[in-house]
Amino acid sequence: MAAAERGSREERWSLAGATALVTGGSKGIGGAIVEELAGFGARVHTCSRNAAELECCLRWEEKGMRVTVSVCHVSVPADREKLMDTVRQTFDGKLSILVNNAGQHLVKPTVECTMEEYKNVMATNLESSFHLCQLAHPLLARAVGGNIINISSIASSIGFAGSTIYTITKGALNQLTWSLATEWAPHNIRVNSVAPGFIATDMVEKGSKTHK
Ligand SMILES: NC(=O)c1ccc[n+]([C@@H]2O[C@H](COP(=O)([O-])OP(=O)(O)OC[C@H]3O[C@@H](n4cnc5c(N)ncnc54)[C@H](OP(=O)(O)O)[C@@H]3O)[C@@H](O)[C@H]2O)c1
């Protein structure tokens, strides 16, 4: 984006004073979200499982963006609680934006999927989002106008051969979004989904290899 265009957008869309938690921000779509939010002045915390890749996120600090990181396996309940404790302490108990982005794509014929794989993809893509919304609720309610953005997929609303478990999680994520949007509107918390099509990230790269 040209510097002048970015400059005029920044004047209109400042996030100075906002705080954000983006799960899975070490790379891919989550990495782009972290950079965009921090670029508009928000303080951002992000997490993933890979400590070495998270260290690379500190490059944003060198550019003057305020980004902190911690290792978290979002499919593990105790890790999610620890993550929200870290966020609470880092942002003085207030969170403006929660982006549930961390996710995994399992590409496999349905009859070959194991129960272990089912539980793992469900826990990573769906249970983690549900639980992080619950844990973040008091922090979001304390911010002036909290926001949740669940990263869904076009696979949430179409048939997608070879990706049944993934599509179940994304369809349910849409339903989580609709239900929380109505339940938490009186608490001044907005809840939305974004459903991207194909974006060339490690996830798509791994999926295409699985198909071959
Ligand atoms: N790329 C697409 O075409 C596309 C399309 C529609 C929707 N989406 C959705 O967009 C989101 C991001 O996907 P992406 O394409 O950017 O994938 P990606 O490049 O593989 O990045 C996924 C991110 O999530 C983290 N992550 C994965 N499992 C995790 C876990 N259990 N605990 C903590 N962090 C975890 C990864 O780090 P570690 O692996 O190091 O933990 C990484 O930071 C996903 O929810 C995906 O379903 C992607």
mmCIF file of all heavy atoms in Angstrom, residues 156-198:
data_model
loop_
_atom_site.group_PDB
_atom_site.id
_atom_site.type_symbol
_atom_site.label_atom_id
_atom_site.label_comp_id
_atom_site.label_asym_id
_atom_site.label_seq_id
_atom_site.Cartn_x
_atom_site.Cartn_y
_atom_site.Cartn_z
ATOM 1 N N SER A 156 -17.519 -23.012 5.597
ATOM 2 C CA SER A 156 -18.557 -23.095 6.636
ATOM 3 C C SER A 156 -19.947 -23.277 6.043
ATOM 4 O O SER A 156 -20.872 -23.696 6.726
ATOM 5 C CB SER A 156 -18.551 -21.821 7.482
ATOM 6 O OG SER A 156 -18.895 -20.695 6.681
ATOM 7 N N SER A 157 -20.092 -22.958 4.760
ATOM 8 C CA SER A 157 -21.459 -22.937 4.220
ATOM 9 C C SER A 157 -21.575 -23.621 2.852
ATOM 10 O O SER A 157 -22.560 -23.419 2.164
ATOM 11 C CB SER A 157 -21.946 -21.486 4.114
ATOM 12 O OG SER A 157 -21.018 -20.726 3.383
ATOM 13 N N ILE A 158 -20.548 -24.395 2.489
ATOM 14 C CA ILE A 158 -20.642 -25.176 1.248
ATOM 15 C C ILE A 158 -20.130 -26.596 1.514
ATOM 16 O O ILE A 158 -19.417 -26.819 2.491
ATOM 17 C CB ILE A 158 -19.791 -24.562 0.096
ATOM 18 C CG1 ILE A 158 -18.322 -24.400 0.530
ATOM 19 C CG2 ILE A 158 -20.368 -23.250 -0.405
ATOM 20 C CD1 ILE A 158 -17.369 -24.055 -0.586
ATOM 21 N N GLY A 159 -20.485 -27.521 0.650
ATOM 22 C CA GLY A 159 -19.920 -28.867 0.751
ATOM 23 C C GLY A 159 -18.439 -28.815 0.371
ATOM 24 O O GLY A 159 -18.072 -28.071 -0.549
ATOM 25 N N PHE A 160 -17.605 -29.565 1.078
ATOM 26 C CA PHE A 160 -16.165 -29.482 0.857
ATOM 27 C C PHE A 160 -15.597 -30.897 1.028
ATOM 28 O O PHE A 160 -15.256 -31.301 2.138
ATOM 29 C CB PHE A 160 -15.579 -28.518 1.899
ATOM 30 C CG PHE A 160 -14.353 -27.784 1.455
ATOM 31 C CD1 PHE A 160 -14.284 -26.397 1.562
ATOM 32 C CD2 PHE A 160 -13.259 -28.456 0.960
ATOM 33 C CE1 PHE A 160 -13.153 -25.696 1.180
ATOM 34 C CE2 PHE A 160 -12.123 -27.772 0.571
ATOM 35 C CZ PHE A 160 -12.072 -26.400 0.681
ATOM 36 N N ALA A 161 -15.522 -31.635 -0.089
ATOM 37 C CA ALA A 161 -15.088 -33.040 -0.015
ATOM 38 C C ALA A 161 -13.689 -33.155 0.568
ATOM 39 O O ALA A 161 -12.794 -32.391 0.208
ATOM 40 C CB ALA A 161 -15.122 -33.657 -1.408
ATOM 41 N N GLY A 162 -13.518 -34.091 1.491
ATOM 42 C CA GLY A 162 -12.198 -34.344 2.081
ATOM 43 C C GLY A 162 -11.868 -33.443 3.252
ATOM 44 O O GLY A 162 -10.762 -33.505 3.784
ATOM 45 N N SER A 163 -12.805 -32.584 3.655
ATOM 46 C CA SER A 163 -12.538 -31.659 4.766
ATOM 47 C C SER A 163 -13.714 -31.610 5.744
ATOM 48 O O SER A 163 -14.020 -30.571 6.311
ATOM 49 C CB SER A 163 -12.289 -30.247 4.235
ATOM 50 O OG SER A 163 -11.158 -30.208 3.426
ATOM 51 N N THR A 164 -14.374 -32.766 5.933
ATOM 52 C CA THR A 164 -15.624 -32.761 6.707
ATOM 53 C C THR A 164 -15.478 -32.175 8.103
ATOM 54 O O THR A 164 -16.274 -31.326 8.509
ATOM 55 C CB THR A 164 -16.178 -34.199 6.801
ATOM 56 O OG1 THR A 164 -16.406 -34.664 5.479
ATOM 57 C CG2 THR A 164 -17.485 -34.243 7.576
ATOM 58 N N ILE A 165 -14.459 -32.601 8.854
ATOM 59 C CA ILE A 165 -14.346 -32.129 10.246
ATOM 60 C C ILE A 165 -14.094 -30.622 10.265
ATOM 61 O O ILE A 165 -14.708 -29.881 11.045
ATOM 62 C CB ILE A 165 -13.232 -32.889 11.009
ATOM 63 C CG1 ILE A 165 -13.479 -34.392 10.947
ATOM 64 C CG2 ILE A 165 -13.177 -32.423 12.464
ATOM 65 C CD1 ILE A 165 -12.350 -35.238 11.546
ATOM 66 N N TYR A 166 -13.218 -30.179 9.362
ATOM 67 C CA TYR A 166 -12.918 -28.738 9.279
ATOM 68 C C TYR A 166 -14.199 -27.943 9.005
ATOM 69 O O TYR A 166 -14.473 -26.929 9.648
ATOM 70 C CB TYR A 166 -11.891 -28.516 8.164
ATOM 71 C CG TYR A 166 -11.484 -27.073 7.946
ATOM 72 C CD1 TYR A 166 -10.591 -26.448 8.807
ATOM 73 C CD2 TYR A 166 -11.986 -26.347 6.864
ATOM 74 C CE1 TYR A 166 -10.203 -25.131 8.597
ATOM 75 C CE2 TYR A 166 -11.602 -25.027 6.649
ATOM 76 C CZ TYR A 166 -10.705 -24.426 7.522
ATOM 77 O OH TYR A 166 -10.331 -23.124 7.316
ATOM 78 N N THR A 167 -15.005 -28.423 8.063
ATOM 79 C CA THR A 167 -16.221 -27.672 7.705
ATOM 80 C C THR A 167 -17.227 -27.661 8.862
ATOM 81 O O THR A 167 -17.924 -26.673 9.054
ATOM 82 C CB THR A 167 -16.901 -28.258 6.447
ATOM 83 O OG1 THR A 167 -17.327 -29.588 6.709
ATOM 84 C CG2 THR A 167 -15.994 -28.228 5.244
ATOM 85 N N ILE A 168 -17.276 -28.757 9.625
ATOM 86 C CA ILE A 168 -18.174 -28.776 10.800
ATOM 87 C C ILE A 168 -17.762 -27.667 11.769
ATOM 88 O O ILE A 168 -18.601 -26.919 12.295
ATOM 89 C CB ILE A 168 -18.114 -30.141 11.533
ATOM 90 C CG1 ILE A 168 -18.636 -31.270 10.647
ATOM 91 C CG2 ILE A 168 -18.914 -30.093 12.821
ATOM 92 C CD1 ILE A 168 -18.372 -32.672 11.240
ATOM 93 N N THR A 169 -16.448 -27.546 12.018
ATOM 94 C CA THR A 169 -15.993 -26.544 12.991
ATOM 95 C C THR A 169 -16.329 -25.132 12.516
ATOM 96 O O THR A 169 -16.723 -24.274 13.305
ATOM 97 C CB THR A 169 -14.469 -26.636 13.255
ATOM 98 O OG1 THR A 169 -13.737 -26.327 12.060
ATOM 99 C CG2 THR A 169 -14.062 -27.997 13.760
ATOM 100 N N LYS A 170 -16.194 -24.897 11.210
ATOM 101 C CA LYS A 170 -16.411 -23.529 10.708
ATOM 102 C C LYS A 170 -17.905 -23.203 10.640
ATOM 103 O O LYS A 170 -18.312 -22.059 10.886
ATOM 104 C CB LYS A 170 -15.742 -23.350 9.342
ATOM 105 C CG LYS A 170 -14.215 -23.475 9.389
ATOM 106 C CD LYS A 170 -13.575 -22.412 10.294
ATOM 107 C CE LYS A 170 -12.063 -22.465 10.293
ATOM 108 N NZ LYS A 170 -11.438 -21.444 11.126
ATOM 109 N N GLY A 171 -18.729 -24.206 10.322
ATOM 110 C CA GLY A 171 -20.191 -23.982 10.347
ATOM 111 C C GLY A 171 -20.640 -23.647 11.763
ATOM 112 O O GLY A 171 -21.438 -22.732 11.986
ATOM 113 N N ALA A 172 -20.098 -24.404 12.736
ATOM 114 C CA ALA A 172 -20.474 -24.158 14.135
ATOM 115 C C ALA A 172 -19.942 -22.811 14.625
ATOM 116 O O ALA A 172 -20.579 -22.144 15.447
ATOM 117 C CB ALA A 172 -19.938 -25.291 15.014
ATOM 118 N N LEU A 173 -18.795 -22.402 14.095
ATOM 119 C CA LEU A 173 -18.231 -21.091 14.472
ATOM 120 C C LEU A 173 -19.183 -19.971 14.021
ATOM 121 O O LEU A 173 -19.371 -18.978 14.737
ATOM 122 C CB LEU A 173 -16.860 -20.941 13.814
ATOM 123 C CG LEU A 173 -15.873 -19.953 14.408
ATOM 124 C CD1 LEU A 173 -15.618 -20.206 15.879
ATOM 125 C CD2 LEU A 173 -14.551 -20.023 13.639
ATOM 126 N N ASN A 174 -19.792 -20.134 12.848
ATOM 127 C CA ASN A 174 -20.789 -19.145 12.399
ATOM 128 C C ASN A 174 -21.953 -19.101 13.383
ATOM 129 O O ASN A 174 -22.450 -18.028 13.738
ATOM 130 C CB ASN A 174 -21.334 -19.501 11.012
ATOM 131 C CG ASN A 174 -20.316 -19.317 9.910
ATOM 132 O OD1 ASN A 174 -19.230 -18.804 10.147
ATOM 133 N ND2 ASN A 174 -20.659 -19.735 8.704
ATOM 134 N N GLN A 175 -22.399 -20.281 13.815
ATOM 135 C CA GLN A 175 -23.532 -20.325 14.743
ATOM 136 C C GLN A 175 -23.155 -19.701 16.085
ATOM 137 O O GLN A 175 -23.968 -18.980 16.684
ATOM 138 C CB GLN A 175 -23.995 -21.772 14.932
ATOM 139 C CG GLN A 175 -25.335 -21.881 15.634
ATOM 140 C CD GLN A 175 -26.443 -21.117 14.903
ATOM 141 O OE1 GLN A 175 -26.710 -21.364 13.726
ATOM 142 N NE2 GLN A 175 -27.070 -20.182 15.592
ATOM 143 N N LEU A 176 -21.920 -19.965 16.542
ATOM 144 C CA LEU A 176 -21.430 -19.323 17.773
ATOM 145 C C LEU A 176 -21.495 -17.801 17.615
ATOM 146 O O LEU A 176 -21.925 -17.078 18.519
ATOM 147 C CB LEU A 176 -19.987 -19.770 18.050
ATOM 148 C CG LEU A 176 -19.270 -19.096 19.223
ATOM 149 C CD1 LEU A 176 -19.890 -19.507 20.557
ATOM 150 C CD2 LEU A 176 -17.782 -19.445 19.235
ATOM 151 N N THR A 177 -21.093 -17.335 16.450
ATOM 152 C CA THR A 177 -21.076 -15.892 16.186
ATOM 153 C C THR A 177 -22.486 -15.310 16.268
ATOM 154 O O THR A 177 -22.713 -14.292 16.931
ATOM 155 C CB THR A 177 -20.471 -15.638 14.785
ATOM 156 O OG1 THR A 177 -19.161 -16.211 14.750
ATOM 157 C CG2 THR A 177 -20.384 -14.153 14.482
ATOM 158 N N TRP A 178 -23.443 -15.955 15.572
ATOM 159 C CA TRP A 178 -24.812 -15.424 15.578
ATOM 160 C C TRP A 178 -25.399 -15.414 16.995
ATOM 161 O O TRP A 178 -26.046 -14.454 17.404
ATOM 162 C CB TRP A 178 -25.716 -16.274 14.660
ATOM 163 C CG TRP A 178 -25.496 -16.034 13.204
ATOM 164 C CD1 TRP A 178 -25.349 -14.829 12.582
ATOM 165 C CD2 TRP A 178 -25.368 -17.034 12.170
ATOM 166 N NE1 TRP A 178 -25.148 -15.016 11.234
ATOM 167 C CE2 TRP A 178 -25.157 -16.351 10.957
ATOM 168 C CE3 TRP A 178 -25.422 -18.436 12.152
ATOM 169 C CZ2 TRP A 178 -25.005 -17.012 9.743
ATOM 170 C CZ3 TRP A 178 -25.269 -19.088 10.951
ATOM 171 C CH2 TRP A 178 -25.050 -18.385 9.761
ATOM 172 N N SER A 179 -25.168 -16.500 17.739
ATOM 173 C CA SER A 179 -25.766 -16.584 19.078
ATOM 174 C C SER A 179 -25.157 -15.555 20.027
ATOM 175 O O SER A 179 -25.879 -14.864 20.756
ATOM 176 C CB SER A 179 -25.586 -17.999 19.647
ATOM 177 O OG SER A 179 -26.308 -18.909 18.862
ATOM 178 N N LEU A 180 -23.811 -15.439 20.005
ATOM 179 C CA LEU A 180 -23.179 -14.463 20.907
ATOM 180 C C LEU A 180 -23.514 -13.029 20.493
ATOM 181 O O LEU A 180 -23.650 -12.153 21.345
ATOM 182 C CB LEU A 180 -21.661 -14.655 20.929
ATOM 183 C CG LEU A 180 -21.129 -15.896 21.635
ATOM 184 C CD1 LEU A 180 -19.611 -15.820 21.748
ATOM 185 C CD2 LEU A 180 -21.744 -16.070 23.015
ATOM 186 N N ALA A 181 -23.649 -12.803 19.178
ATOM 187 C CA ALA A 181 -23.972 -11.440 18.715
ATOM 188 C C ALA A 181 -25.299 -10.986 19.316
ATOM 189 O O ALA A 181 -25.439 -9.817 19.719
ATOM 190 C CB ALA A 181 -24.018 -11.392 17.192
ATOM 191 N N THR A 182 -26.251 -11.898 19.404
ATOM 192 C CA THR A 182 -27.545 -11.516 19.979
ATOM 193 C C THR A 182 -27.478 -11.484 21.507
ATOM 194 O O THR A 182 -28.002 -10.568 22.138
ATOM 195 C CB THR A 182 -28.650 -12.496 19.532
ATOM 196 O OG1 THR A 182 -28.234 -13.835 19.796
ATOM 197 C CG2 THR A 182 -28.939 -12.366 18.052
ATOM 198 N N GLU A 183 -26.792 -12.488 22.089
ATOM 199 C CA GLU A 183 -26.753 -12.562 23.561
ATOM 200 C C GLU A 183 -25.942 -11.430 24.185
ATOM 201 O O GLU A 183 -26.280 -10.924 25.260
ATOM 202 C CB GLU A 183 -26.165 -13.917 23.978
ATOM 203 C CG GLU A 183 -26.261 -14.187 25.466
ATOM 204 C CD GLU A 183 -25.771 -15.599 25.823
ATOM 205 O OE1 GLU A 183 -26.105 -16.554 25.097
ATOM 206 O OE2 GLU A 183 -25.058 -15.721 26.830
ATOM 207 N N TRP A 184 -24.857 -11.017 23.508
ATOM 208 C CA TRP A 184 -23.940 -10.051 24.122
ATOM 209 C C TRP A 184 -24.088 -8.628 23.590
ATOM 210 O O TRP A 184 -23.380 -7.725 24.048
ATOM 211 C CB TRP A 184 -22.491 -10.532 23.978
ATOM 212 C CG TRP A 184 -22.192 -11.728 24.850
ATOM 213 C CD1 TRP A 184 -23.049 -12.327 25.745
ATOM 214 C CD2 TRP A 184 -20.979 -12.479 24.931
ATOM 215 N NE1 TRP A 184 -22.444 -13.389 26.360
ATOM 216 C CE2 TRP A 184 -21.171 -13.508 25.887
ATOM 217 C CE3 TRP A 184 -19.746 -12.387 24.294
ATOM 218 C CZ2 TRP A 184 -20.168 -14.439 26.202
ATOM 219 C CZ3 TRP A 184 -18.746 -13.307 24.623
ATOM 220 C CH2 TRP A 184 -18.958 -14.321 25.568
ATOM 221 N N ALA A 185 -25.023 -8.411 22.648
ATOM 222 C CA ALA A 185 -25.260 -7.032 22.193
ATOM 223 C C ALA A 185 -25.634 -6.124 23.365
ATOM 224 O O ALA A 185 -25.114 -5.002 23.473
ATOM 225 C CB ALA A 185 -26.336 -7.007 21.108
ATOM 226 N N PRO A 186 -26.485 -6.590 24.295
ATOM 227 C CA PRO A 186 -26.810 -5.719 25.441
ATOM 228 C C PRO A 186 -25.600 -5.429 26.329
ATOM 229 O O PRO A 186 -25.641 -4.499 27.132
ATOM 230 C CB PRO A 186 -27.868 -6.524 26.220
ATOM 231 C CG PRO A 186 -28.365 -7.560 25.282
ATOM 232 C CD PRO A 186 -27.246 -7.849 24.335
ATOM 233 N N HIS A 187 -24.535 -6.238 26.197
ATOM 234 C CA HIS A 187 -23.334 -6.000 27.001
ATOM 235 C C HIS A 187 -22.350 -5.092 26.246
ATOM 236 O O HIS A 187 -21.211 -4.922 26.648
ATOM 237 C CB HIS A 187 -22.618 -7.319 27.321
ATOM 238 C CG HIS A 187 -23.518 -8.367 27.925
ATOM 239 N ND1 HIS A 187 -23.079 -9.605 28.310
ATOM 240 C CD2 HIS A 187 -24.852 -8.367 28.204
ATOM 241 C CE1 HIS A 187 -24.080 -10.322 28.798
ATOM 242 N NE2 HIS A 187 -25.175 -9.576 28.729
ATOM 243 N N ASN A 188 -22.827 -4.587 25.095
ATOM 244 C CA ASN A 188 -21.995 -3.689 24.266
ATOM 245 C C ASN A 188 -20.790 -4.412 23.650
ATOM 246 O O ASN A 188 -19.728 -3.831 23.494
ATOM 247 C CB ASN A 188 -21.544 -2.477 25.089
ATOM 248 C CG ASN A 188 -21.368 -1.246 24.223
ATOM 249 O OD1 ASN A 188 -21.824 -1.230 23.074
ATOM 250 N ND2 ASN A 188 -20.701 -0.243 24.745
ATOM 251 N N ILE A 189 -20.996 -5.705 23.340
ATOM 252 C CA ILE A 189 -19.939 -6.494 22.685
ATOM 253 C C ILE A 189 -20.458 -6.924 21.311
ATOM 254 O O ILE A 189 -21.494 -7.591 21.221
ATOM 255 C CB ILE A 189 -19.561 -7.741 23.516
ATOM 256 C CG1 ILE A 189 -19.024 -7.326 24.884
ATOM 257 C CG2 ILE A 189 -18.533 -8.599 22.762
ATOM 258 C CD1 ILE A 189 -18.818 -8.482 25.863
ATOM 259 N N ARG A 190 -19.745 -6.513 20.250
ATOM 260 C CA ARG A 190 -20.109 -6.920 18.879
ATOM 261 C C ARG A 190 -19.413 -8.223 18.542
ATOM 262 O O ARG A 190 -18.243 -8.396 18.870
ATOM 263 C CB ARG A 190 -19.663 -5.868 17.859
ATOM 264 C CG ARG A 190 -20.563 -4.684 17.787
ATOM 265 C CD ARG A 190 -20.223 -3.843 16.600
ATOM 266 N NE ARG A 190 -18.808 -3.431 16.647
ATOM 267 C CZ ARG A 190 -18.255 -2.604 15.787
ATOM 268 N NH1 ARG A 190 -18.956 -2.122 14.792
ATOM 269 N NH2 ARG A 190 -16.995 -2.257 15.889
ATOM 270 N N VAL A 191 -20.107 -9.120 17.862
ATOM 271 C CA VAL A 191 -19.505 -10.406 17.482
ATOM 272 C C VAL A 191 -19.743 -10.629 15.996
ATOM 273 O O VAL A 191 -20.882 -10.586 15.522
ATOM 274 C CB VAL A 191 -20.111 -11.568 18.297
ATOM 275 C CG1 VAL A 191 -19.332 -12.856 18.050
ATOM 276 C CG2 VAL A 191 -20.136 -11.250 19.786
ATOM 277 N N ASN A 192 -18.645 -10.839 15.250
ATOM 278 C CA ASN A 192 -18.739 -11.049 13.798
ATOM 279 C C ASN A 192 -17.830 -12.199 13.370
ATOM 280 O O ASN A 192 -16.874 -12.538 14.072
ATOM 281 C CB ASN A 192 -18.289 -9.783 13.040
ATOM 282 C CG ASN A 192 -19.331 -8.684 13.119
ATOM 283 O OD1 ASN A 192 -20.362 -8.753 12.478
ATOM 284 N ND2 ASN A 192 -19.055 -7.684 13.939
ATOM 285 N N SER A 193 -18.152 -12.752 12.215
ATOM 286 C CA SER A 193 -17.253 -13.736 11.573
ATOM 287 C C SER A 193 -16.710 -13.134 10.296
ATOM 288 O O SER A 193 -17.395 -12.340 9.643
ATOM 289 C CB SER A 193 -18.025 -14.990 11.137
ATOM 290 O OG SER A 193 -18.314 -15.817 12.194
ATOM 291 N N VAL A 194 -15.520 -13.562 9.929
ATOM 292 C CA VAL A 194 -14.997 -13.288 8.586
ATOM 293 C C VAL A 194 -14.761 -14.660 7.956
ATOM 294 O O VAL A 194 -14.178 -15.548 8.584
ATOM 295 C CB VAL A 194 -13.675 -12.494 8.651
ATOM 296 C CG1 VAL A 194 -13.074 -12.334 7.264
ATOM 297 C CG2 VAL A 194 -13.902 -11.138 9.301
ATOM 298 N N ALA A 195 -15.241 -14.846 6.729
ATOM 299 C CA ALA A 195 -15.141 -16.165 6.085
ATOM 300 C C ALA A 195 -14.314 -16.061 4.804
ATOM 301 O O ALA A 195 -14.855 -15.874 3.718
ATOM 302 C CB ALA A 195 -16.546 -16.693 5.790
ATOM 303 N N PRO A 196 -12.985 -16.187 4.931
ATOM 304 C CA PRO A 196 -12.137 -16.046 3.732
ATOM 305 C C PRO A 196 -12.294 -17.215 2.763
ATOM 306 O O PRO A 196 -12.678 -18.319 3.154
ATOM 307 C CB PRO A 196 -10.711 -16.053 4.309
ATOM 308 C CG PRO A 196 -10.837 -15.922 5.785
ATOM 309 C CD PRO A 196 -12.189 -16.423 6.148
ATOM 310 N N GLY A 197 -11.959 -16.942 1.503
ATOM 311 C CA GLY A 197 -11.770 -18.007 0.519
ATOM 312 C C GLY A 197 -10.321 -18.470 0.628
ATOM 313 O O GLY A 197 -9.691 -18.293 1.668
ATOM 314 N N PHE A 198 -9.780 -19.044 -0.450
ATOM 315 C CA PHE A 198 -8.400 -19.551 -0.377
ATOM 316 C C PHE A 198 -7.397 -18.413 -0.309
ATOM 317 O O PHE A 198 -7.441 -17.482 -1.103
ATOM 318 C CB PHE A 198 -8.091 -20.434 -1.589
ATOM 319 C CG PHE A 198 -8.666 -21.813 -1.459
ATOM 320 C CD1 PHE A 198 -9.770 -22.192 -2.200
ATOM 321 C CD2 PHE A 198 -8.119 -22.724 -0.564
ATOM 322 C CE1 PHE A 198 -10.319 -23.460 -2.071
ATOM 323 C CE2 PHE A 198 -8.661 -23.997 -0.418
ATOM 324 C CZ PHE A 198 -9.761 -24.362 -1.181
#
